[in-house]
Amino acid sequence: MSLQRDAVNREHEEGVARMEFLRAEAQHGAEQFSDKKQVWIADKSDGFAKATILEDKGDSYLVQKTTTMEEVTVKKEDTQQINPPKFEKLEDMANLTYLNEASVLHNLRQRYFSSMIYTYSALIPLL
């Protein structure tokens, strides 16, 4: 009986530690996020890439891709807004703050890689 209790206590402690880690990680991501400075831009290999706005040039932005650190100039109309980190892997995509092509693709991709393949937008299932 004591061994079972020890195993349950250890499992509980591991679960609590994991939840604290995930909470801290989400907090850190939320602190770094700025919806005024981050955008989606078209990308030939991935469809869309996250980028940080470095400079506003009137009708275009100088941005830096977050994955490659490459700097490119894009028209403002060719950018799409990024959702805050709290919307990562959202099951109902109708709840996304910015429901655009890049955000939907990103959400579906993140859910797929996490084996969370079922999602929907309002009442329409997306499999």
Side-chain angles (χ1 to χ4, degrees), residues 30 50 55:
K50 285 184 181 180
E55 185 180 341

Side-chain angles (χ1 to χ4, degrees), residues 83-95:
N83 287 291
K86 70 179 182 178
F87 292 106
E88 286 286 315
K89 302 177 189 170
L90 199 61
E91 185 176 15
D92 183 359
M93 290 191 291
N95 292 330

Side-chain angles (χ1 to χ4, degrees), residues 7-120:
V8 168
N9 286 340
R10 191 173 331 110
E11 188 174 301
H12 174 73
E13 289 172 5
E14 289 172 359
V16 169
R18 177 75 179 145
M19 288 302 295
E20 288 175 1
F21 171 77
L22 291 173
R23 190 175 298 122
E25 189 176 67
Q27 177 76 22
H28 179 68
E31 289 171 0
Q32 289 185 329
F33 178 77
S34 169
D35 64 344
K36 306 285 186 214
K37 293 284 184 187
Q38 294 181 331
V39 293
W40 291 111
I41 61 171
D43 183 67
K44 290 180 182 179
S45 62
D46 290 329
F48 295 95
K50 285 184 181 180
T52 302
I53 298 172
L54 301 176
E55 185 180 341
D56 187 340
K57 296 182 170 188
D59 64 342
S60 63
Y61 291 128
L62 174 64
V63 299
Q64 183 178 47
K65 292 182 181 181
T66 56
T67 54
T68 62
M69 305 311 262
E70 174 188 2
E71 292 184 8
V72 293
T73 301
V74 294
K75 293 180 183 177
K76 285 183 179 180
E77 62 194 38
D78 293 337
T79 64
Q80 297 181 30
Q81 293 177 298
I82 291 182
N83 287 291
K86 70 179 182 178
F87 292 106
E88 286 286 315
K89 302 177 189 170
L90 199 61
E91 185 176 15
D92 183 359
M93 290 191 291
N95 292 330
L96 290 172
T97 302
Y98 305 116
L99 188 59
N100 55 47
E101 186 180 2
S103 294
V104 168
L105 180 61
H106 173 73
N107 191 59
L108 289 172
R109 191 177 281 151
Q110 292 302 309
R111 289 182 60 80
Y112 177 81
F113 289 136
S114 299
S115 298
M116 302 165 71
I117 61 172
Y118 298 104
T119 188
Y120 56 94

